[in-house]
């Protein structure tokens, strides 16, 4: 039962996107030329309310969302940004593109950043909520950015929405995410004053008013062109209206799978918390060999599955090789010979590598009804039982 499309892509429909029709009828796709309120305005207001944030800002993709959030902290070139050792390489790339140095920090058993390893005085930390698991946030850090690309709709243990607790939260609408517009990103902040800075940065540093040319007031700074698109934000708005339905179906499929996957020697379920987004069932097997055999058998049966090995950043060429398109190796060259920029781990990531090598993920399918979710769970259970 191989799913042809991931998560929210299965919910895309022309009839459910009136804002897209209107944008095409208006023949205006640039947010600041569109009739007010623009689709971007509507999306940002809806997202801020749903995610418990003061303000939200639409940007072209999730990587740019991280970059914009980092620039809002007004960093100095060459400063460290502590990031989890297990996450997608875009996190390191976003840090580097700001002229900052990513410092991988080892993770806990849930693959969330281990805050106990952070040095005293750490200023900037990105915490990635990987694969729907809402990670714990470090305390006493001025700028914590929550990378919520894979956990849209998740909640911290105190009930607050993932992405709304730190200095800023970032989200992705990439094709493989919970909600999708093919590409797209979102930044949310607690302080409206921070939003003003980030919004200006995404529009050449200007203080633009709807329908007008960019205005540059005293104290203006340079920025980039990262403005949202009216057609894309229309699709994102449609997706947001389906978020709760998708989350509820994922919860149901998760519960059905846990009931069906019987206990088997050598395989245990890595439980998710109540606030985690149930994008998958994560299994921990006794050995890499058993994990790989499970991956092969599930794939042979057309059942979706994946491993997390590729997310270990200390082994990724971008981090391990410190390559750069700049002739002088910028910004990696700023870290040469400086022990402050060495990765932080108790054992050289040995335990993390070992745990990653035994981890298997079974993605869940919110678009399926109860009958087909149950069938998929039984098929997975049958393959695992026969290992």
């Amino acid at each position: 039962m191989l799913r042809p499309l991931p998560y929210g892509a299965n919910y895309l429909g022309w009839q459910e996107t009136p804002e897209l029709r209107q944008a095409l009828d208006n023949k205006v796709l640039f947010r600041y030329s569109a009739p007010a309120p623009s689709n971007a305005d509507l999306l940002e207001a809806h997202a801020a309310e749903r995610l418990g944030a003061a303000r939200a800002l639409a940007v072209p993709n999730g990587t740019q969302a991280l970059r914009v959030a980092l620039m809002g902290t007004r960093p100095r070139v060459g400063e460290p940004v502590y990031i989890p050792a297990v996450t997608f390489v875009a996190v390191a790339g976003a840090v580097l593109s700001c002229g900052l140095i990513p410092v991988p920090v080892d993770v806990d058993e849930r693959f969330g950043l281990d805050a106990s390893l952070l040095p005293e005085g750490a200023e900037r930390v990105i915490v990635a909520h990987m694969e729907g698991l809402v990670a714990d946030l470090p305390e006493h850090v001025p700028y914590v950015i929550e990378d919520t690309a894979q956990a849209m709709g998740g909640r911290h243990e105190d009930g607050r929405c993932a992405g709304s607790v730190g200095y800023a939260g970032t989200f992705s609408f990439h094709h493989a995410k919970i909600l999708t517009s093919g590409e797209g990103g979102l930044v949310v902040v607690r302080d409206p004053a921070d939003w003003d800075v980030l919004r200006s940065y995404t529009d050449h540093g200007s203080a633009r008013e709807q329908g007008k040319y960019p205005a540059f007031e005293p104290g203006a700074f340079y920025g980039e062109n990262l403005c949202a698109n009216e057609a894309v934000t229309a699709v994102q708005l449609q997706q947001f209206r389906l978020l709760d339905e998708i989350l509820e179906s994922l919860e149901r499929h998760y519960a059905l799978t846990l009931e069906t996957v019987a206990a088997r020697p050598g395989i245990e379920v890595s439980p998710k918390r109540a606030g985690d987004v149930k994008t998958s069932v994560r299994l921990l097997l006794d050995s890499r060999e058993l994990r790989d055999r499970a991956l092969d058998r599930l794939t042979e049966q057309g059942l979706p599955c994946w491993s997390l090995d590729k997310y270990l950043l200390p082994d990724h060429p971008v981090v391990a090789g410190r390559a750069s398109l700049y002739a002088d190796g910028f910004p990696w060259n700023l870290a040469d010979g400086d022990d402050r920029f060495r990765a932080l781990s108790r054992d050289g990531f040995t335990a993390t590598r070992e745990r990653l090598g035994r981890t298997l993920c079974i993605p869940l399918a919110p678009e399926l009804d109860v009958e087909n979710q149950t069938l998929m769970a039984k098929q997975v259970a049958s393959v695992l039982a026969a290992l």
Side-chain angles (χ1 to χ4, degrees):
M1 189 181 294
L2 185 62
R3 295 168 52 221
L5 294 171
Y7 307 121
N10 292 278
Y11 292 76
L12 289 170
W14 182 250
Q15 298 300 323
E16 299 171 332
T17 353
E19 293 85 4
L20 178 56
R21 289 175 176 267
Q22 185 175 4
L24 296 179
D25 289 343
N26 290 336
K27 302 186 186 304
V28 177
L29 298 180
F30 180 56
R31 72 171 293 174
Y32 293 118
S33 297
S38 67
N39 288 336
D41 293 332
L42 295 173
L43 168 71
E44 289 167 356
H46 184 89
E49 181 178 3
R50 173 61 180 80
L51 299 173
R55 299 296 297 269
L57 178 66
V59 294
N61 56 62
T63 307
Q64 298 294 348
L66 284 168
R67 292 188 62 247
V68 169
L70 281 167
M71 291 304 296
T73 70
R74 297 179 179 266
R76 293 178 177 84
V77 169
E79 289 186 322
V81 179
Y82 300 95
I83 66 174
V86 178
T87 189
F88 184 52
V89 69
V91 177
V95 174
L96 290 163
S97 67
C98 293
L100 306 172
I101 310 299
V103 179
V105 179
D106 214 341
V107 294
D108 57 25
E109 290 189 351
R110 285 167 49 87
F111 298 132
L113 181 143
D114 186 347
S116 70
L117 295 173
L118 291 172
E120 185 176 353
E123 287 192 63
R124 292 171 183 83
V125 175
I126 296 176
V127 172
H129 302 309
M130 284 288 293
E131 207 202 6
L133 274 74
V134 180
D136 298 328
L137 303 186
E139 298 179 354
H140 312 301
V141 174
Y143 297 110
V144 176
I145 297 173
E146 297 183 65
D147 175 8
T148 323
Q150 298 183 15
M152 176 81 79
R155 292 186 179 273
H156 290 279
E157 290 192 288
D158 63 5
R160 288 181 292 178
C161 290
S164 72
V165 178
Y167 155 76
T170 64
F171 299 83
S172 172
F173 294 92
H174 180 267
H175 181 65
K177 300 303 186 290
I178 296 167
L179 304 183
T180 184
S181 52
E183 272 291 5
L186 196 71
V187 187
V188 302
V189 292
R190 294 180 297 168
D191 188 339
D194 291 330
W195 185 89
D196 290 336
V197 172
L198 302 187
R199 195 220 60 79
S200 293
Y201 185 79
T202 62
D203 189 23
H204 307 287
S206 75
R208 187 195 291 263
E209 295 181 23
Q210 193 73 16
K212 296 184 179 181
Y213 190 77
F216 297 92
E217 300 176 343
F221 47 85
Y222 80 84
E224 300 183 68
N225 180 7
L226 301 172
C227 295
N229 175 292
E230 285 292 279
V232 173
T233 50
V235 174
Q236 292 166 354
L237 191 56
Q238 178 261 359
Q239 289 277 284
F240 246 109
R241 289 194 286 257
L242 295 165
L243 177 57
D244 289 330
E245 178 182 341
I246 293 172
L247 294 176
E248 290 170 6
S249 187
L250 285 169
E251 287 279 354
R252 183 183 68 208
H253 197 182
Y254 182 78
L256 286 169
T257 304
L258 291 191
E259 291 175 5
T260 310
V261 176
R264 177 204 183 281
I267 302 177
E268 66 176 272
V269 175
S270 298
K272 291 194 173 184
R273 296 173 180 171
D276 294 339
V277 181
K278 309 307 191 295
T279 54
S280 70
V281 171
R282 183 181 289 179
L283 303 175
L284 186 65
L285 289 82
D286 269 0
S287 67
R288 177 183 286 271
E289 292 73 24
L290 184 60
R291 192 280 308 270
D292 290 345
R293 190 157 70 248
L295 281 168
D296 290 342
R297 299 294 182 272
L298 289 165
T299 301
E300 288 169 2
Q301 295 300 313
L303 294 165
C305 57
W306 60 60
S307 63
L308 301 176
D309 307 61
K310 59 184 175 291
Y311 292 122
L312 185 62
L313 288 186
D315 290 349
H316 195 286
V318 167
V319 176
R322 294 194 166 191
S324 169
L325 284 178
Y326 284 94
D328 62 357
F330 176 83
W332 285 118
N333 61 333
L334 303 178
D336 288 344
D338 193 332
D339 288 343
R340 292 180 304 158
F341 301 108
R342 288 186 177 179
L344 303 177
S345 174
R346 293 190 181 88
D347 62 357
F349 304 102
T350 300
T352 297
R353 285 190 181 89
E354 192 272 340
R355 191 173 185 86
L356 283 170
R358 297 191 292 120
T359 297
L360 167 68
C361 300
I362 310 295
L364 303 177
E367 76 280 4
L368 298 180
D369 57 22
V370 176
E371 181 179 355
N372 282 297
Q373 285 180 343
T374 302
L375 175 60
M376 181 176 170
K378 289 181 178 179
Q379 290 174 329
V380 169
S382 176
V383 171
L384 296 178
L387 289 175

